[in-house]
Amino acid sequence: MLNIDLNVVYNIINIIVLFLLLKKFLFKPVTEIMEKRQQIIEASLKDAEESKAQAGELKSQYENALKEAKEEAVSIVKDAKVRAEAEYERKMQDAADDARTVVENAEKTIDLEREKAVRSAKNEIAALAIAAASKVVEKETNDENNRKLLDDFLSEAGDLK
């Protein structure tokens, strides 16, 4: 038969009571604390995921803004180059026009000086011709005769040209 010692029965009852007390006062609060911590950790993870998503979106926006800024900078530089080249061409054209004007004015001045020199030479040649003619003829000439001889000589010299 089974002899069960009373101490063993008390120990079993004590263990059952202890288990029930531990379950009521220890396991239940610890389980609740662990569940609350799990909820807090899950909420933190969810917030971290949302923050990561927002950060990714902001990064995307910043990258797009940076890309647009670079494109705008390239466009501005290209426009500046085009304007600079146009200004260079305009300045070169103005300089060429100015040089052409200076050359034309110089040619006109040269032509005028040449005509003046030719007239002066004609007048001197006419005076020398009259003097030579008056020495050859050895007659005294007056202003009216000189003028007539000069006009005749100039018209002949003009015809020879």
Side-chain angles (χ1 to χ4, degrees):
M1 311 208 148
L2 252 141
N3 270 346
I4 298 185
D5 191 14
L6 221 50
N7 277 339
V8 170
V9 174
Y10 285 130
N11 281 338
I12 292 178
I13 292 176
N14 279 340
I15 290 176
I16 292 175
V17 169
L18 181 63
F19 175 76
L20 292 175
L21 287 175
L22 285 176
K23 185 178 175 187
K24 171 103 171 142
F25 294 110
L26 181 64
F27 296 144
K28 189 174 181 182
V30 168
T31 306
E32 289 176 1
I33 290 172
M34 288 176 64
E35 286 177 2
K36 285 180 184 177
R37 279 199 173 177
Q38 186 177 0
Q39 290 173 354
I40 290 171
I41 291 171
E42 287 175 357
S44 295
L45 288 175
K46 184 178 177 183
D47 289 344
E49 287 294 322
E50 289 175 1
S51 295
K52 185 178 178 181
Q54 288 176 350
E57 187 177 321
L58 285 175
K59 180 183 175 189
S60 167
Q61 289 174 355
Y62 290 140
E63 287 175 349
N64 287 338
L66 183 62
K67 181 180 176 184
E68 289 174 6
K70 285 181 182 179
E71 289 173 357
E72 186 176 346
V74 167
S75 174
I76 288 171
V77 168
K78 185 184 276 185
D79 289 344
K81 283 181 181 179
V82 168
R83 281 184 275 150
E85 288 175 7
E87 182 68 17
Y88 173 78
E89 290 297 324
R90 188 184 65 78
K91 293 283 186 182
M92 292 301 289
Q93 185 64 40
D94 289 348
D97 291 344
D98 290 345
R100 191 176 311 109
T101 302
V102 167
V103 168
E104 288 173 358
N105 289 339
E107 288 175 351
K108 288 178 184 176
T109 303
I110 290 170
D111 289 342
L112 290 174
E113 290 297 321
R114 186 180 302 134
E115 287 177 18
K116 211 188 263 186
V118 167
R119 268 188 261 132
S120 175
K122 283 183 182 180
N123 287 338
E124 286 180 24
I125 291 172
L128 287 173
I130 289 173
S134 69
K135 281 187 181 182
V136 170
V137 175
E138 288 188 348
K139 76 176 197 183
E140 192 173 311
T141 58
N142 59 19
D143 282 339
E144 186 177 314
N145 287 340
N146 285 342
R147 186 65 60 197
K148 185 175 183 211
L149 284 173
L150 178 63
D151 288 340
D152 290 342
F153 179 76
L154 287 176
S155 65
E156 285 179 27
D159 289 341
L160 291 177
K161 201 176 177 186

